[in-house]
Amino acid sequence: MLDHRIITFLKLCETMNYRITAEKLHMTQPAVTQHIHFLEEEYDCKLFIYNRKKLEKTKSAIILEEYARSAYYNDIHLKKRLKEEERIKINIGATKTIGEFVISEKIKKLIEDEKYDVSLVIDNTENLIKMLEEHKLDFAIVEGIFNKEKYGYKLYKKDEFIGICSKNHRFNDKNIKFKELFEENIIVREEGSGTRKIFEQLLFQNSFSLEFFRKQIVINNFNLIKDLVRLNAGISFVYSSVIKDEKEIGRFCIGNKMEREFNYVFLKNTLAKDFVEFFRNL
C-alpha cells in the first residue's frame, strides 16, 4: 500500500502550490506541509525550495517523483489484479498522426478481444505525457520529442517526415533548398504537437525558425491542413502516414530522406510494459 504522504508529494509536484494541493486533496495546508516535512526527514533531503517566491523542485524531489509515480501506478494496478476483475481496461494515448492514421487495425483487434475494454485519447505529445504522469494513461504512442531518460519507451516504427504541397505547386516532386521555403505560407500544428516540434527542431538545426516564413498558419486538424495544402493556400510538413492514400497532394523534400521515430512511452519500472508488449503483438 502506498504511503498517503507520497500521494501528497505527487500532487504537490503536479500543482507546485501548497494551497491548491490542500484543496485538491481535501486537506489543510499545514497538513500538506507536515507530509512534505516527514518525507524530507525520512529521506534526509530537501524536496522543495522557494526561488524568488516561486516553489521549485530540488534534484532529490525529481528523483523521488520518478520513483513515486511508478510506485503509484503499480499500486493502482495491483489493486485491480487482486480484485480479479473479469475485464481489463487499457488506457491508451496517441498523437494525432498515430491515432488517426497508424493504429486503427490494432485498436480494432483490441476491441474484438472480449477480455479487454479500451479507452483511446488522441492529443498532442505534451498533453499525453502529462496524462501519463497523472496515471490517466497506461502508455502513449507519440511521434514527438520526449525525455528518454525519464520515461520507459519502445520503438513502434519509423516514418518518413516530408514536405507537402499542391500538385501544381513549383515544389512538387522536387528536392529544394531551405531558403526556398521562406517565400511560402507555412501551415503548422499547435504548440505542444510532436509534428510541430520535430519541424521546429529541423529548422533550428539549420539556423532558421518559423519566423522566416512569409506567413504562419496554425491549425490542429490534419484534414483541414490537407485541404488547405491541396488548395495551394500553403505548404506543410507531416509524416508520410498522414498522406499515404492522398493522390491529390504533392510531395517534396529538403536534402536527404528524413525518418523519425514513433515510440511507445510509459512510466519506468511499471506494469505498463506488459500492456505495451501485449499491444505490440496484436
Side-chain angles (χ1 to χ4, degrees):
M1 183 173 68
L2 200 67
D3 191 300
H4 61 286
R5 286 163 290 214
I6 288 290
I7 296 173
T8 303
F9 166 74
L10 285 174
K11 185 58 68 174
L12 183 57
C13 286
E14 178 187 323
T15 67
M16 295 304 290
N17 184 292
Y18 278 90
R19 179 184 59 79
I20 295 174
T21 297
E23 290 175 357
K24 286 184 175 289
L25 295 178
H26 307 291
M27 298 167 60
T28 64
Q29 191 167 327
V32 173
T33 302
Q34 187 179 28
H35 284 189
I36 300 304
H37 284 168
F38 174 88
L39 293 174
E40 289 177 332
E41 290 178 7
E42 178 71 16
Y43 295 111
D44 190 25
C45 64
K46 192 72 176 171
L47 295 173
F48 296 93
I49 58 172
Y50 279 99
N51 183 7
R52 297 179 182 177
K53 297 184 178 181
K54 182 180 179 182
L55 192 65
E56 294 182 352
K57 301 172 193 174
T58 65
K59 290 182 180 179
S60 297
I62 293 170
I63 293 170
L64 180 59
E65 182 185 8
E66 182 179 316
Y67 162 81
R69 290 202 184 283
S70 297
Y72 189 27
Y73 177 92
N74 284 336
D75 188 60
I76 292 168
H77 283 271
L78 175 60
K79 288 174 182 176
K80 289 181 180 180
R81 287 188 177 187
L82 291 175
K83 286 182 181 179
E84 297 182 343
E85 296 177 349
E86 290 185 7
R87 300 177 72 86
I88 299 171
K89 185 173 183 180
I90 303 181
N91 298 295
I92 303 169
T95 49
K96 291 188 177 183
T97 298
I98 295 167
E100 295 179 14
F101 304 101
V102 177
I103 61 170
S104 57
E105 284 299 318
K106 282 187 178 289
I107 294 297
K108 179 177 179 291
K109 289 179 182 178
L110 188 55
I111 290 170
E112 290 171 348
D113 192 323
E114 293 294 330
K115 188 179 178 181
Y116 294 93
D117 290 330
V118 59
S119 170
L120 175 63
V121 175
I122 298 177
D123 209 328
N124 64 45
T125 301
E126 186 177 300
N127 290 337
L128 292 176
I129 294 295
K130 184 179 179 183
M131 291 180 73
L132 268 183
E133 294 189 343
E134 294 173 352
H135 307 103
K136 295 176 180 177
L137 299 175
D138 293 303
F139 64 87
I141 314 174
V142 306
E143 87 269 12
I145 299 165
F146 62 94
N147 187 342
K148 289 186 174 181
E149 293 184 2
K150 185 175 181 180
Y151 303 100
Y153 66 94
K154 286 185 179 292
L155 180 68
Y156 182 88
K157 75 167 191 172
K158 292 185 178 181
D159 201 2
E160 188 177 2
F161 195 65
I162 59 173
I164 59 172
C165 59
S166 166
K167 274 285 190 179
N168 58 12
H169 194 282
R170 62 192 177 94
F171 288 174
N172 187 30
D173 286 333
K174 291 182 180 177
N175 190 325
I176 66 164
K177 295 179 180 179
F178 258 101
K179 289 186 178 179
E180 295 180 72
L181 290 175
F182 305 130
E183 301 170 20
E184 305 295 324
N185 297 335
I186 184 69
I187 307 172
V188 292
R189 290 273 311 283
E190 76 282 2
E191 291 278 359
S193 154
T195 302
R196 174 170 174 155
K197 201 163 188 178
I198 291 290
F199 184 51
E200 287 179 327
Q201 183 187 58
L202 176 64
L203 290 171
F204 179 77
Q205 289 170 347
N206 289 274
S207 302
F208 299 115
S209 73
L210 290 173
E211 301 301 323
F212 280 74
F213 285 88
R214 184 172 68 179
K215 182 183 288 188
Q216 300 172 45
I217 305 160
V218 181
I219 296 175
N220 71 348
N221 181 282
F222 275 121
N223 287 325
L224 181 54
I225 289 173
K226 290 191 289 184
D227 283 344
L228 290 172
V229 167
R230 192 181 294 111
L231 294 169
N232 209 12
I235 62 170
S236 191
F237 283 79
V238 298
Y239 288 95
S240 60
S241 295
V242 174
I243 57 163
K244 62 183 178 182
D245 298 320
E246 297 283 350
K247 301 192 184 305
E248 298 179 8
I249 292 180
R251 281 86 161 158
F252 66 91
C253 60
I254 308 171
N256 297 327
K257 181 178 180 180
M258 295 182 289
E259 281 194 331
R260 294 294 185 271
E261 295 180 349
F262 293 175
N263 282 295
Y264 296 97
V265 185
F266 50 93
L267 296 178
K268 281 184 175 180
N269 304 312
T270 64
L271 300 170
K273 65 180 182 297
D274 295 338
F275 285 135
V276 169
E277 286 303 314
F278 168 73
F279 193 83
R280 288 179 74 194
N281 293 320
L282 284 173

